């Protein structure tokens, strides 16, 4: 399956704000105080309420789970960053797809429903809340908000999920299911599960078939070149694998400040969300550089080696 | 149907090597298929959760047999979703003739669809009432489920849950097909699994998607659906691995689209459904006139059936009244994330046996939705290519095309 794919836009909603403020905060070494404290310190509306975001996309339904709100806003930013306006989508709605990862789904809505059900002595469940139970609610509402009618998929997986997500995105593009796919995460903690080292995040990338992006004169950040997924025990020997001697291990939870200073990272995270595509902006910003091995081979690739409990994966990108 | 050329490269054909299922009609695929052809129903009053305050207490519930309980005990499975998935995967692997040891030598993937899974109840093979205790593990993290299954079958490469509501099983099979066709996978275990619980029934009671009576798809009396549980699994493999059989069934095409219209309701114009069926046919390299059977989504809700009819009419034109169509939901319930997978199993068997199962509970089809609805008894039909449709909440649509491949059409790439 061959297909040149460009990353043309990024949308991000994080406890540190949107993409720009996220980068600024990284540079300043800031950490979000609520990052390891669960979402107890977030307002009921989640990040969009905390950050005071007003987007017309948020008006599509009376009730939206924070996970859906974040995805709508992040996707809007990714579209803007990629230079794709609502008109372009309206002219070719099936040419655009959405592929999101959501391992825990809309936990805030589930918790709210349990609370309501207890109050109603187990007799009645709100149809509005039930309508928002689906793990695909973020992708579905983002599609409604932005008129995107191509493939709409939501997936979950093991700790190599973000790599797997990008591989599925590549499949959609390479097989011609759509020419542009918005892919990434929208996840949130739910009450009572604050032990996880992440809070609310939505990070969405605009990936496009290269010929389409070039045709419309898109500003291309990076090229998605290869994604390998193997597990220990079955991994076939890969010539360059032993050369990845990583300079240091980053402890969990990963301090954001460490990312800002990092050149290569060992992202040995146990949490399925730990290896998030939030690291891609670092590549784009040139904060993560090529390993010596690959520079020596003059491949021109910038490679982010990612090890997880499911084996070594190589996520390679090259400057366009 | 020939192999597809893409950029001058001949793509491998993807064959269905094995089938597995657990449903309200039985513990395996033979029982499911016998029941469907005989017009039996697996719908019965729910026994695994409380019936109070539900719009309807009937469902395609699975009462665990002694053998299934013994299996759960042997493998220390404490959840119905993992139990159903593993029982169906085991059967499909046996049917394909693969052992786990053999699979370890192959590039194998796992792609399963589910909707809400057991996210609303505790891990339990019996207790399915609602819960919501602050510290209760409701198995809501799908990473746990996919890890459990991937480890059980030693899936070395991709293991993925697809969660696109009631289109999940169909979408999972479509992704699996493309992994073999385009990405060098040799075998992919795929399908769907889902479970029933009281929270889902309370939710659908509130939404009025539950019929107060029985599922009666494409009839004037249709007024909602009933739900079921179970798993449907297909072992897909590259043609070059296939056994010597007179006839194979290929997973030939898949489509995906989104209505982007409403969180729970379909786009009444059926535009997204037309797109998804057309995409699946194009992917299979066939035309609408080549389709000999459609396994309908056929959920029995007024909106869904109306939309599906409009879409079929739009794509197939007057020929829509010729193609034998059927819905298996009245027999096993709407199995949500596993519905498309169990319907794919039935579609493959229709191609194998050249028979279309009847749509239960239909006395007279709705004259406003004139389709060639098979009802009353199973019908013998010459089927070379068949389509299976799924439409889910969130406007997620999926369609699959399956085709017969005779021995002289094999290419053995």
């Amino acid at each position: 399956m061959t297909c040149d794919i460009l990353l043309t836009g990024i949308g991000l909603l994080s406890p540190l704000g949107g993409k720009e403020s996220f980068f600024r905060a990284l540079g300043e070494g800031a950490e979000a105080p609520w990052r390891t404290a669960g979402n107890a310190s977030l307002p009921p509306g989640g990040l969009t309420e905390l950050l005071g975001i007003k987007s017309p996309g948020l008006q599509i339904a009376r009730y939206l789970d924070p996970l859906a709100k974040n995805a709508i806003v992040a996707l809007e930013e990714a579209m803007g960053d990629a230079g794709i306006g609502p008109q372009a989508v309206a002219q070719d709605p099936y040419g655009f797809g959405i592929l999101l990862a959501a391992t825990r789904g809309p936990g805030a809505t589930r918790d709210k429903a349990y609370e309501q059900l207890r109050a109603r002595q187990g007799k009645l469940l709100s149809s509005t809340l039930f309508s928002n139970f689906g793990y695909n609610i973020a992708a579905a509402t983002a599609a409604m908000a932005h008129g995107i009618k191509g493939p709409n998929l939501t997936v979950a997986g093991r700790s190599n999920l973000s790599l797997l997500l990008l591989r599925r995105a590549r499949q959609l593009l390479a097989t011609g299911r759509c020419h542009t796919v918005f892919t990434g995460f929208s996840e949130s903690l739910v009450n009572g599960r604050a032990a996880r080292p992440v809070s609310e995040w939505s990070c969405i990338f605009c990936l496009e078939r290269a010929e389409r992006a070039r045709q419309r004169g898109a500003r291309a950040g990076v090229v998605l070149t290869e994604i390998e997924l193997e597990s220990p025990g079955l991994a076939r020997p890969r010539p360059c694998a032993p050369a990845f001697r990583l300079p240091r291990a980053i402890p969990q939870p990963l301090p954001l400040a460490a990312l800002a200073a990092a050149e290569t990272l060992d992202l040995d995270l146990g949490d399925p969300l730990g290896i998030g595509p939030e690291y891609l902006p670092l590549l784009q910003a040139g904060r993560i550089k090529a390993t010596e091995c690959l520079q020596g081979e003059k491949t021109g690739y910038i490679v982010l080696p990612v090890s997880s409990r499911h084996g070594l994966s190589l996520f390679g990108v090259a400057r366009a | 149907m020939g192999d597809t050329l893409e950029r001058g490269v001949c793509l491998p054909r993807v064959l269905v090597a094995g089938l597995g299922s657990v449903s309200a009609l039985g513990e395996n695929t033979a029982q499911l298929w016998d029941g469907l052809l005989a017009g039996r129903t697996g719908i019965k009053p729910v026994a695994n959760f409380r019936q109070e305050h539900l719009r309807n207490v009937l469902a395609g519930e699975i009462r665990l047999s002694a053998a299934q309980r013994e299996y759960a005990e042997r493998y220390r499975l404490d959840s119905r979703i993992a139990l159903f998935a593993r029982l169906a995967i085991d059967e499909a692997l046996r049917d394909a003739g693969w052992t786990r040891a053999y699979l370890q030598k192959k590039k194998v993937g796992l792609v399963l669809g589910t909707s809400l899974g057991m996210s609303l109840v505790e891990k339990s093979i019996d207790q399915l009432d609602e819960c919501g205790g602050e510290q209760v593990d409701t198995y809501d993290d799908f990473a746990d489920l996919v890890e459990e299954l991937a480890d059980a079958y030693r899936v070395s490469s991709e293991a993925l849950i697809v969660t696109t509501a009631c289109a999940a099983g169909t979408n999972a099979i479509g992704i699996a097909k493309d992994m073999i066709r385009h990405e060098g996978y040799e075998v992919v275990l795929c399908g769907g699994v889902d479970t029933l619980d009281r929270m889902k029934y309370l939710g659908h009671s509130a939404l009025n998607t539950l019929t107060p009576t029985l599922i009666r798809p494409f009839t004037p009396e249709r007024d909602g659906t009933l739900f079921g549980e179970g798993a449907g699994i297909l072992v897909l493999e590259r043609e070059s691995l296939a056994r010597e059989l007179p006839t194979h069934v290929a997973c030939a095409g898949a489509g995906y689209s989104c209505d982007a219209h409403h969180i729970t309701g379909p786009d009444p114009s059926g535009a997204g459904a037309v797109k998804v069926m057309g995409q699946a046919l194009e992917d299979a390299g066939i035309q609408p006139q080549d389709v000999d059977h459609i396994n309908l989504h056929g959920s029995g809700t007024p909106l869904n059936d109306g939309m599906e009819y409009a879409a079929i009419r739009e794509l197939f034109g007057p020929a829509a009244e010729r193609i034998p169509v059927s819905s298996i939901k009245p027999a096993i319930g709407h199995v949500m994330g596993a519905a498309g997978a169990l319907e794919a199993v039935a579609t493959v068997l229709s191609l194998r046996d050249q028979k279309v199962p009847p749509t239960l509970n239909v006395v007279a089809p709705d004259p406003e939705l004139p389709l060639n609805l098979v009802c009353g008894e199973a019908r013998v039909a010459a089927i070379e290519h068949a389509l299976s449709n799924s439409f889910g909440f969130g406007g997620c649509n999926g369609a699959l095309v399956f085709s017969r491949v005779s021995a002289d059409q094999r290419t053995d790439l």
Side-chain angles (χ1 to χ4, degrees), chain B residues 257-304:
Chain B
S257 75
C258 179
D259 286 352
H261 174 75
H262 190 269
I263 292 177
T264 56
D267 175 359
S269 77
V274 171
K275 184 74 183 175
V276 81
M277 290 188 287
Q279 199 182 82
L281 298 185
E282 189 183 343
D283 194 29
I286 63 172
Q287 301 295 317
Q289 61 266 27
D290 298 323
V291 173
D292 305 306
H293 166 51
I294 303 173
N295 191 307
L296 300 165
H297 180 68
S299 61
T301 66
L303 287 177
N304 250 314

Side-chain angles (χ1 to χ4, degrees), chain A residues 1-2 103 110 114 118 122 125 135-136 149 154-156 158 164 167-168 171 177 193 196 209 231 234, chain B residues 7 53 119 131-132 136 140-142 156-158 160-161 163 178 182-183 198 206 254 258 283 393:
Chain A
M1 186 174 66
T2 56
T103 59
R110 281 198 296 268
Y114 288 136
R118 273 195 295 272
L125 183 61
Y135 282 66
N136 63 333
K149 297 187 174 184
T154 303
V155 297
R158 295 182 286 182
L164 194 148
R167 187 176 252 201
R168 290 301 113 237
Q171 185 193 66
R177 305 281 181 191
R193 293 173 178 80
R196 304 274 191 177
R209 289 181 72 107
S231 283
L234 287 172
Chain B
R7 295 186 183 183
H53 313 299
S119 60
C131 62
V136 171
D140 57 357
D141 189 336
F142 281 156
S156 61
S157 199
E158 288 188 45
L160 187 69
I161 293 280
T163 172
D178 281 348
H182 300 281
E183 296 179 30
R198 182 170 156 81
C258 179
D283 194 29
F393 274 13

Side-chain angles (χ1 to χ4, degrees), chain A residues 12-196:
Chain A
L12 183 72
L13 200 61
S14 76
L16 287 167
K19 190 175 61 153
E20 296 306 324
S21 53
F22 172 73
F23 269 116
R24 201 166 43 247
L26 279 180
E28 293 164 357
E31 288 202 42
W34 47 81
R35 185 168 185 270
T36 54
N39 66 356
S41 55
L42 287 176
L47 280 179
T48 51
E49 187 179 330
L50 179 80
L51 301 170
I53 295 171
K54 308 276 183 213
S55 162
L58 298 177
Q59 307 305 317
I60 58 163
R62 209 155 34 98
Y63 173 84
L64 286 170
D65 187 273
L67 171 124
K69 290 182 187 176
N70 297 345
I72 289 169
V73 171
L75 200 147
E76 188 176 312
E77 189 184 13
M79 284 174 66
D81 197 33
I84 297 170
Q87 272 302 106
V89 176
Q91 283 169 8
D92 182 19
Y94 294 101
F96 297 83
I98 298 177
L99 170 65
L100 294 187
T103 59
R104 291 181 210 114
T109 300
R110 281 198 296 268
D111 283 356
K112 199 174 287 205
Y114 288 136
E115 208 172 285
Q116 188 191 69
L117 196 62
R118 273 195 295 272
R120 294 173 175 180
Q121 299 170 321
K123 292 178 185 171
L124 191 66
L125 183 61
S126 152
S127 59
T128 301
L129 293 180
F130 183 72
S131 302
N132 284 269
F133 272 8
Y135 282 66
N136 63 333
I137 195 69
T141 48
M144 283 168 58
H146 301 294
I148 294 171
K149 297 187 174 184
N152 190 288
L153 299 170
T154 303
V155 297
R158 295 182 286 182
S159 60
N160 54 6
L161 178 56
S162 54
L163 302 176
L164 194 148
L165 186 72
L166 291 165
R167 187 176 252 201
R168 290 301 113 237
R170 189 178 64 166
Q171 185 193 66
L172 290 175
L173 293 167
T175 55
R177 305 281 181 191
C178 52
H179 53 65
T180 304
V181 62
F182 295 98
T183 189
F185 279 80
S186 192
E187 287 278 16
S188 64
L189 274 181
V190 292
N191 292 331
R193 293 173 178 80
R196 304 274 191 177

